[in-house]
Amino acid sequence: MRIGVITFPGSLDDRDALRAVRIAGGEPVALWHGDHDLQGVDALVLPGGFSYGDYLRCGAIASLSPIMTEVVDAAGKGMPVLGICNGFQMLAEAHLVAGGLIRNDHGNFIRRDQHLIVENADTPWTSGFEQGQEIVIPLKNGEGGFIASAEELKRLEGEGLVVFRYTGVNPNGSLDDIAGVRNERGNVVGLMPHPEHAVEPGFGPDTAAAMRSGVDGLTFFTSVIRSTLIDA
C-alpha cells in the first residue's frame, strides 16, 4: 500500500510520518505541496510542523497550496486522509473537517505524552483500536485548542464525529476535551497529537513496561493499511 506524505514549507514531521508508514509495512511516498500529482497513492498524511511560519492562521496558507485541490478531490472520493497537528489545522481550514484550532488557553507551547480516549474506532485510521480504549500519544503544539460553535459541537457529539478526547488533563483548552475529529464519511481524520512519534520501541512515550516503549501510534498506520487492503 502506498501512503503519501505531503511536505509543505515549514513541515517538521514529514520524515517521521514517512518512517512510520515504512515501519507499519506500507510504501511511503514523498509528495510536494506545489504539485498536482498524488502519484497514485492509496492514502494521504498531512504532517505536523509550522507551514508558512503559521502566518495568518495555522494551516490557512497551506490549505490553499496547489496539491490541496487534489487532496480535497481525493477525500471526496473516499481516500483515507490523516491530518496531524498542523495537518489537522489544514484540514479544518480546507473545511474537510469541522471546527478550528486556536492558541492554547494558557498561552504556552506544550510538549507532553498525552493520554487519549478513542471515541470512534470506525475509521480507516482507528479500526485497530477499541472504542473507549485509552492510548498515549505525544503532543506538541502552541495553537491546539479545538473550537466550534455550540450547534456544531452538538452535531459532532451527536453524530459520533469526535474520534479522540483528552483524558487526565486538557492540555490546551479544547472544547469538550476534543483531541481529534473525523468527517461524516469517516475517511478523513484530524488530531493534534502526533502518532508518528509513537511507532518504534525506544523512541515513544514511557509505559509501565519500560521507558520510551509506547507504540500506540503505530496502530494508526497499520489500521489504514489493513482497512484499505480489505476494501480492495
Side-chain angles (χ1 to χ4, degrees):
M1 179 182 176
R2 291 163 54 82
I3 302 179
V5 178
I6 304 171
T7 297
F8 298 84
S11 293
L12 296 181
D13 301 298
D14 46 340
R15 297 297 181 90
D16 303 75
L18 289 164
R19 180 174 175 79
V21 171
R22 184 179 297 109
I23 291 172
E27 179 184 348
V29 180
L31 302 175
W32 182 242
H33 76 107
D35 295 337
H36 282 284
D37 183 5
L38 296 182
Q39 299 185 30
V41 299
D42 305 294
L44 287 165
V45 177
L46 279 60
F50 301 91
S51 59
Y52 293 93
D54 280 349
Y55 292 117
L56 187 59
R57 293 183 309 275
C58 294
I61 300 176
S63 72
L64 301 175
S65 292
I67 203 167
M68 288 301 292
T69 301
E70 316 308 324
V71 173
V72 171
D73 182 63
K77 294 176 180 177
M79 180 181 289
V81 180
L82 179 67
I84 303 169
C85 197
N86 193 218
F88 183 13
Q89 295 161 342
M90 294 177 207
L91 293 179
E93 290 287 343
H95 305 294
L96 287 173
V97 296
L101 289 307
I102 62 172
R103 182 164 294 279
N104 298 344
D105 60 351
H106 45 71
N108 298 316
F109 186 92
I110 188 168
R111 161 65 178 93
R112 69 191 317 271
D113 291 337
Q114 179 65 50
H115 288 252
L116 305 173
I117 297 296
V118 179
E119 296 285 354
N120 191 309
D122 190 24
T123 82
W125 301 97
T126 60
S127 59
F129 296 115
E130 297 291 334
Q131 185 170 345
Q133 182 177 346
E134 183 171 328
I135 62 176
V136 182
I137 303 292
L139 174 78
K140 52 177 187 176
N141 65 69
E143 299 188 42
F146 182 83
I147 59 169
S149 67
E151 181 178 345
E152 190 78 335
L153 280 175
K154 184 178 180 180
R155 185 179 75 86
L156 288 169
E157 298 284 5
E159 296 182 9
L161 302 183
V162 176
V163 180
F164 298 102
R165 206 181 304 273
Y166 299 116
T167 186
V169 63
N170 183 324
N172 46 35
S174 291
L175 298 180
D176 286 4
D177 299 325
I178 292 173
V181 299
R182 68 175 179 91
N183 66 347
E184 288 79 2
R185 188 168 182 169
N187 60 303
V188 180
V189 172
L191 77 163
M192 288 309 297
H194 286 258
E196 77 280 14
H197 294 329
V199 298
E200 189 173 12
F203 299 93
D206 294 343
T207 71
M211 292 178 61
R212 303 191 180 282
S213 61
V215 292
D216 287 338
L218 187 61
T219 301
F220 286 74
F221 302 96
T222 55
S223 292
V224 75
I225 291 172
R226 182 175 59 252
S227 65
T228 302
L229 290 174
I230 290 173
D231 290 342

